[in-house]
Amino acid sequence: MAIRSHIFLLFLNTTILRTDVQDFINSNLKSDISKLIFKGSPFDTVSIQELANQIIAKQKSEKKLPTWFQTKNIYYPPKISIEQTSSEITAAYKAKLIDGSVIADISGGFGIDSYFFSKFFDQVFHCEINPELSNIVQHNIEQLKVNNIKTICDDGIHFISNYSETLDCIYIDPSRRDASQNKVFFLKDCTPNVPDSLDLLFQKSNQILIKTSPLLDISSAIKELRNVKKIHIVALHNEVKELLFLLDKNYEDEVEIETININKHNNQKFSFNLGKNQAAPEYSLPLNYLYEPNTAIFKSGGFNQIATFFKLNKLHQHTHLYTSDAYVDFPGRIFNIIKIIPYNKKIISKEIPEQKANISIRNFPKTVAQIRKETKIKNGGHLYVFAVTLVDTSKVLIICKKTE
């Protein structure tokens, strides 16, 4: 511990941890940062830029990382590390997907995932090539009183190649920016290059869990990888946050897709096998209820599977909305259909007299902005309008109210 503390002093301004500096940071969490920077730092050994970063990073952690926010003497990295890290909610979810005794997090970052892995594994190796960030994580896990995470300042692939034993799991969150800090969209362009490293990784562990951007194309990723057992699509409050690819060295069957939308009061789950033949859905004109899948299901592409599983009719092959006569409990938004009208701006103004509604489009030739401009309908209110193409190719507006 003495060696780590000495290294910590080399890379970080430990004056930030002084009581008076911490009090200043905490007392300015709601302050205007630009005005604060203009005033300058009240401390000789801590710059206003350092203070501003600690304040901004801690502000971003209040809801995303409440454990860190509520723990004293946490040292925050540059704010981009907070923006790119897993939230506590998604980290807790992924930690339950795997098990074993020893896991290596080979692109450790701020250490949120490692912290939650430590609740399920006896030993966690946290690899981070950035010395400053590695030492920040070491300091913070001491504040969090975690004793089964070993921080290693090294390239994760280099660590794996020199690790003499086997691991129960290897976890990777590849960096999605190239040397020029431009975003990349294929796994082979990320760091580390996971597709090229699979042989090495499978020599050290039978189980690999990969976190990727929600923007990654799932079919392309499956082609880049191998032995993909399951793909988890994780949404938080209906916003897709992560794609998780679970690889098993001995798995050669169909890929299972598991979607979850984590909400405050309930979790919406739906799963299906990607390669399994599915019966074609039934199609019909709108009935009594309208169903809109959550964003995790939209990302999965399981549009026929969701229809057949819940015995719902689809409105059109490319209109991914569903309908039924009787109410069905469904992983998404559910609406009572009030009326269906053709797209005619004169008719619309009569049917929505308050001139206010929440508008969405599905397989429709106009944008929401165009519809609002043509109809003068403002955003908001209790009505929901879906501009869609139906199975008979007609272009209509479905006027609805959300079910209670």
Side-chain angles (χ1 to χ4, degrees):
M1 190 61 67
I3 294 174
R4 288 297 311 208
S5 297
H6 177 67
I7 296 173
F8 184 77
L9 288 169
L10 287 176
F11 289 103
L12 304 174
N13 184 357
T14 54
T15 308
I16 286 172
L17 300 172
R18 214 169 62 194
T19 301
D20 57 338
V21 179
Q22 286 291 302
D23 289 344
F24 178 86
I25 291 167
N26 292 326
S27 64
N28 282 284
L29 290 175
K30 298 187 183 301
S31 298
D32 185 315
I33 297 298
S34 59
K35 290 181 179 179
L36 205 63
I37 291 174
F38 183 76
K39 291 180 182 178
S41 174
F43 308 104
D44 293 336
T45 54
V46 185
S47 71
I48 190 59
Q49 288 76 20
E50 288 174 304
L51 290 170
N53 180 75
Q54 292 297 307
I55 292 168
I56 294 169
K58 188 163 185 176
Q59 287 172 339
K60 291 180 178 294
S61 299
E62 184 172 6
K63 292 182 179 179
K64 188 175 185 178
L65 308 172
T67 300
W68 279 253
F69 182 84
Q70 294 163 12
T71 300
K72 291 183 177 180
N73 291 329
I74 291 293
Y75 198 113
Y76 290 92
K79 63 179 182 178
I80 191 170
S81 293
I82 303 296
E83 292 167 352
Q84 293 177 345
T85 191
S86 300
S87 67
E88 286 195 32
I89 292 173
T90 58
Y93 173 81
K94 73 168 69 73
K96 296 176 183 178
L97 303 180
I98 49 180
D99 54 32
S101 179
V102 184
I103 183 172
D105 180 351
I106 66 170
S107 47
F110 192 42
I112 310 304
D113 291 317
S114 286
Y115 173 82
F116 282 93
F117 289 139
S118 74
K119 297 177 179 290
F120 297 91
F121 286 80
D122 297 328
Q123 177 73 67
V124 179
F125 293 108
H126 173 278
C127 300
E128 173 52 53
I129 196 169
N130 183 315
E132 179 181 357
L133 189 52
S134 181
N135 282 282
I136 287 174
V137 173
Q138 175 62 35
H139 166 79
N140 288 341
I141 63 174
E142 292 170 12
Q143 310 313 303
L144 294 163
K145 297 180 170 39
V146 179
N147 55 22
N148 61 335
I149 299 176
K150 181 175 178 58
T151 56
I152 298 165
C153 184
D154 193 3
D155 172 80
I157 296 296
H158 182 260
F159 167 76
I160 290 294
S161 64
N162 288 281
Y163 188 70
S164 58
E165 301 176 40
T166 57
L167 297 152
D168 294 297
C169 186
I170 296 171
Y171 171 69
I172 315 167
D173 178 6
S175 173
R176 294 175 283 277
R177 291 188 182 273
D178 61 18
S180 302
Q181 292 303 300
N182 297 312
K183 288 185 178 181
V184 294
F185 299 98
F186 293 98
L187 287 173
K188 62 182 176 60
D189 297 324
C190 295
T191 305
N193 181 334
V194 175
D196 282 359
S197 304
L198 281 177
D199 287 338
L200 169 64
L201 297 172
F202 275 134
Q203 286 175 20
K204 301 297 182 176
S205 178
N206 289 340
Q207 189 173 220
I208 301 167
L209 182 63
I210 307 165
K211 169 189 168 183
T212 75
S213 162
L215 298 177
L216 184 70
D217 181 75
I218 291 175
S219 58
S220 296
I222 292 173
K223 291 176 183 177
E224 285 192 277
L225 299 169
R226 66 174 189 266
N227 305 100
V228 179
K229 183 176 184 180
K230 189 176 287 191
I231 301 170
H232 294 262
I233 303 174
V234 185
L236 182 61
H237 306 308
N238 211 33
E239 180 183 353
V240 178
K241 295 293 187 180
E242 299 178 0
L243 305 183
L244 302 169
F245 292 77
L246 181 62
L247 280 57
D248 187 312
K249 184 177 181 179
N250 303 310
Y251 189 77
E252 297 180 354
D253 210 339
E254 299 290 353
V255 178
E256 183 179 354
I257 304 285
E258 186 161 320
T259 72
I260 183 168
N261 180 32
I262 303 171
N263 289 309
K264 187 174 182 180
H265 300 296
N266 70 317
N267 296 336
Q268 299 172 338
K269 295 182 178 182
F270 179 69
S271 60
F272 60 93
N273 286 334
L274 193 60
K276 188 176 180 180
N277 291 326
Q278 295 284 333
E282 297 289 333
Y283 294 91
S284 78
L285 297 175
L287 303 169
N288 292 329
Y289 293 93
L290 186 73
Y291 303 87
E292 179 189 43
N294 64 48
T295 57
I297 294 170
F298 262 102
K299 179 64 184 180
S300 76
F303 302 120
N304 290 348
Q305 291 90 339
I306 196 80
T308 54
F309 182 86
F310 286 97
K311 297 181 172 60
L312 300 173
N313 295 342
K314 207 166 181 228
L315 297 186
H316 182 279
Q317 181 183 359
H318 303 297
T319 303
H320 304 311
L321 295 171
Y322 308 86
T323 190
S324 69
D325 274 321
Y327 177 89
V328 173
D329 191 14
F330 181 81
R333 296 197 298 176
I334 307 172
F335 302 87
N336 289 109
I337 296 176
I338 299 172
K339 62 183 65 177
I340 303 154
I341 61 174
Y343 186 79
N344 181 306
K345 56 187 178 183
K346 292 182 180 179
I347 297 175
I348 294 167
S349 61
K350 293 178 182 178
E351 297 293 348
I352 307 177
E354 304 120 21
Q355 295 295 288
K356 184 180 285 190
N358 304 279
I359 300 176
S360 299
I361 59 169
R362 293 287 184 272
N363 187 24
F364 197 76
K366 294 180 184 289
T367 66
V368 171
Q370 287 173 326
I371 294 172
R372 290 199 184 282
K373 184 177 180 179
E374 291 178 1
T375 63
K376 310 302 181 186
I377 297 174
K378 296 180 181 178
N379 187 42
H382 64 285
L383 291 180
Y384 290 79
V385 176
F386 288 87
V388 304
T389 300
L390 298 180
V391 66
D392 62 2
T393 72
S394 59
K395 308 292 189 290
V396 303
L397 299 185
I398 305 175
I399 303 174
C400 319
K401 286 185 179 180
K402 285 182 72 175
T403 58
E404 297 297 330

